[in-house]
Amino acid sequence: MNASNDFKTNTPTHFTAAILVAIAALTVIALSYALTITTPAPQVAHAASLAPGTERLLKQTALHLSKMQGGASVGGFPGFEPPDDDGKYKEKIKNKNYSPRDVNDWVKEINNFLKQIIRKNPEMTLEKILTKQGLTAKQIEEFTFALKDTELAARGMASYGVDYARAQALRELLIELGVSLW
Amino acid sequence: MVKKFGQRPFFRFKDELRLEIDRDEWPTDVPLMPSATVNVLGDGPFHNYWLLVFLPDMTVERTAGWWSMPESLDDVLKFYEVEMRKLGWELQKNYRFSERRASLEYCHPETQAKASLSFQRWETLNETTALISRSLKHPYAPPIAEEESVEENVEPALEEVEK
């Protein structure tokens, strides 16, 4: 008898609970579906949050870094290719036949690009910027190593054709971008 | 401005002092291949250097050199992996970016020195170049005696003089 009464009193409660659970489950499914179709891929979302023009500046920086690497690609960006009709320049890049004065000019350009990257993306580290640009961890290391190498080399050539203040400025820009130099 | 002090050229800029070093002054805890020679660029040799950076809370000692070797990139990498381990360095990063480029980063557990090595193969020149830097941070605080002597030398305020 008691069991029968329990059945009568409990059944509506169980029924209501089951409906509520079903509604909640459907809501969760609907929400997750909506999120799936409206949320872009992480890389796309990251790239969108970089200031306009940053990609072009990074590409230009990599191009100048590439000049000291024999024209090799740096960080996945295209390497530097001198014009076909300029044999002297080709030889200079291919055989590291460049002078400290060339490095001085390249560092000037690199500093100029880095300054703009910092101004456009304040408070962001280079690692974060390159990650948002979609570079892999290995490409980020390659880009960073190339910058550190350029800073080391420029410092060694200072007073032999590289303006020391320029080498110093590169050091300060790298520190501002969170690149560890020592 | 470059000045001569004895036989050694040095260069001072703001918080930095750069001294040029010869091969026999290269730090003994970062090995060089027997075949390594100073890297030559279009205008001449790269001047390897010892840099002292004077920061408010530390002095950074940084040695940098750019070396050329006829060995292949693989052989150079093998040499450094073996020799650095022998000298107690711990490998922190090891990247082979391409057939022509690689980088290694080490830290020494005893001295906390850091070594960064970047390698580049130049096929047409049949050489591998290594841009190597070794840095060590030395904490700095002005000595107490120095602070006291500064205080002693401060001229008394005008009121004190009038008294």
Side-chain angles (χ1 to χ4, degrees):
Chain A
M1 184 69 178
N2 282 341
S4 166
N5 280 342
D6 283 349
F7 177 72
K8 277 176 191 171
T9 51
N10 287 342
T11 305
T13 317
H14 284 149
F15 186 66
T16 312
I19 288 174
L20 284 173
V21 168
I23 290 169
L26 281 170
T27 312
V28 169
I29 291 166
L31 274 173
S32 62
Y33 179 71
L35 281 171
T36 310
I37 55 170
T38 53
T39 308
Q43 257 189 19
V44 177
H46 284 318
S49 64
L50 279 178
T54 306
E55 183 174 358
R56 182 185 58 80
L57 291 164
L58 290 171
K59 198 175 167 183
Q60 288 294 325
T61 308
L63 210 60
H64 282 77
L65 292 172
S66 161
K67 291 178 180 179
M68 280 182 69
Q69 317 276 356
S73 156
V74 173
F77 290 99
F80 176 73
E81 281 189 34
D84 279 336
D85 57 353
D86 196 340
K88 254 189 171 180
Y89 205 19
K90 273 196 162 192
E91 198 271 335
K92 181 185 277 191
I93 298 300
K94 201 175 171 187
N95 295 330
K96 61 179 170 69
N97 210 12
Y98 46 82
S99 66
R101 290 207 172 275
D102 292 315
V103 175
N104 189 50
D105 293 342
W106 300 339
V107 170
K108 181 187 172 187
E109 295 299 327
I110 290 167
N111 284 354
N112 181 27
F113 299 134
L114 292 180
K115 268 181 213 162
Q116 291 185 64
I117 290 168
I118 291 170
R119 199 170 58 230
K120 282 173 178 279
N121 303 277
E123 308 291 316
M124 278 175 73
T125 62
L126 182 69
E127 188 181 1
K128 199 170 179 185
I129 291 168
L130 295 176
T131 305
K132 283 176 185 283
Q133 182 56 41
L135 269 67
T136 63
K138 193 175 166 184
Q139 288 171 332
I140 292 171
E141 285 296 337
E142 189 178 24
F143 197 98
T144 311
F145 263 104
L147 273 171
K148 288 203 272 191
D149 286 353
T150 303
E151 190 266 341
L152 269 181
R155 195 163 296 282
M157 293 179 200
S159 75
Y160 291 99
V162 174
D163 179 7
Y164 212 101
R166 209 165 268 178
Q168 181 83 358
L170 178 56
R171 174 188 123 185
E172 284 163 11
L173 288 165
L174 291 181
I175 290 171
E176 202 173 340
L177 282 164
V179 176
S180 163
L181 294 177
W182 38 70
Chain B
M1 186 174 81
V2 182
K3 291 177 182 174
K4 292 270 183 187
F5 182 76
Q7 295 298 307
R8 186 186 299 277
F10 72 91
F11 188 88
R12 167 75 203 266
F13 187 84
K14 285 187 182 169
D15 61 355
E16 293 186 357
L17 179 67
R18 190 194 66 193
L19 299 152
E20 287 171 16
I21 53 168
D22 294 326
R23 189 193 161 113
D24 58 359
E25 295 170 304
W26 183 255
T28 51
D29 62 350
V30 181
L32 291 175
M33 291 185 88
S35 60
T37 53
V38 172
N39 185 35
V40 175
L41 295 156
D43 273 7
F46 180 77
H47 300 274
N48 296 332
Y49 61 91
W50 183 39
L51 183 78
L52 293 168
V53 185
F54 306 106
L55 300 175
D57 57 343
M58 70 172 110
T59 306
V60 182
E61 187 191 352
R62 201 176 178 204
T63 315
W66 207 349
W67 306 94
S68 296
M69 293 141 283
E71 285 84 355
S72 71
L73 178 55
D74 285 333
D75 287 346
V76 173
L77 285 171
K78 268 181 218 158
F79 171 85
Y80 276 100
E81 278 163 22
V82 172
E83 297 301 320
M84 293 294 273
R85 200 184 311 127
K86 275 187 201 170
L87 290 165
W89 290 92
E90 284 178 0
L91 184 65
Q92 307 283 301
K93 288 179 183 174
N94 176 9
Y95 287 100
R96 184 70 185 252
F97 300 120
S98 65
E99 278 183 20
R100 295 165 54 196
R101 294 196 62 223
S103 291
L104 303 172
E105 222 164 71
Y106 288 91
C107 182
H108 202 288
E110 285 170 26
T111 60
Q112 296 305 310
K114 285 183 181 173
S116 177
L117 304 95
S118 279
F119 304 102
Q120 167 92 31
R121 180 69 188 165
W122 302 82
E123 283 303 340
T124 53
L125 301 171
N126 193 31
E127 67 177 29
T128 303
T129 54
L131 189 53
I132 305 173
S133 76
R134 173 196 182 275
S135 56
L136 188 57
K137 294 178 196 169
H138 303 273
Y140 175 74
I144 295 167
E146 194 177 300
E147 282 178 350
E148 282 172 354
S149 68
V150 169
E151 279 171 20
E152 281 168 12
N153 291 333
V154 171
E155 286 183 18
L158 189 61
E159 301 95 78
E160 285 177 27
V161 174
E162 283 168 356
K163 279 176 203 170

